Amino acid sequence: VQLVESGGGLVQPGGSLRLSCAASGFTFSRYAMNWYRQAPGKERELVAAISSAGDITNYADSVKGRFTISRDNGKGTVYLQMNSLKPEDTAVYYCKGYSSWGQGTQVTVSS
């Protein structure tokens, strides 16, 4: 099983980023997928979740209305569209699925 995140970087407050997580080694379409994040000195927290079919999503209150999770089962990829980014969104973002974690991608929101 392999989960590979990409799309992180440095962005100014109010900006946008789109994270991707490419999955392999398991039947992607059968599993819910999640995005987590961990800021320095803080515990890892669940940011967004999506059902296997992509028809049910859930978000942390801190990102509702700003972040959107989606998936393409044909490509085995889950996405996190992040808009109106704030400095407090700065963290390493991880995808999780099939009880496995990706290596994480750094998102830094700063002017």
Side-chain angles (χ1 to χ4, degrees):
V1 174
Q2 191 171 22
L3 300 171
V4 180
E5 300 98 335
S6 61
L10 174 63
V11 62
Q12 291 187 343
S16 298
L17 283 175
R18 188 195 195 204
L19 305 183
S20 300
C21 172
S24 60
F26 64 103
T27 306
F28 180 78
S29 60
R30 293 184 180 177
Y31 293 89
M33 296 294 296
N34 306 287
W35 283 99
Y36 285 75
R37 68 185 180 187
Q38 187 167 19
K42 294 188 176 181
E43 293 187 355
R44 193 170 295 189
E45 63 171 347
L46 179 63
V47 174
I50 188 166
S51 63
S52 57
D55 55 340
I56 300 172
T57 57
N58 286 292
Y59 298 92
D61 287 343
S62 58
V63 307
K64 279 181 182 176
R66 300 187 299 121
F67 290 11
T68 302
I69 188 171
S70 62
R71 65 191 295 159
D72 185 333
N73 284 347
K75 294 183 178 180
T77 302
V78 61
Y79 305 97
L80 186 67
Q81 177 67 44
M82 306 186 294
N83 299 328
S84 302
L85 282 162
K86 305 175 181 180
E88 51 263 43
D89 294 318
T90 296
V92 179
Y93 284 71
Y94 300 88
C95 70
K96 181 184 178 185
Y98 194 68
S99 300
S100 296
W101 294 87
Q103 83 288 351
T105 186
Q106 176 71 47
V107 172
T108 302
V109 184
S110 175
S111 54

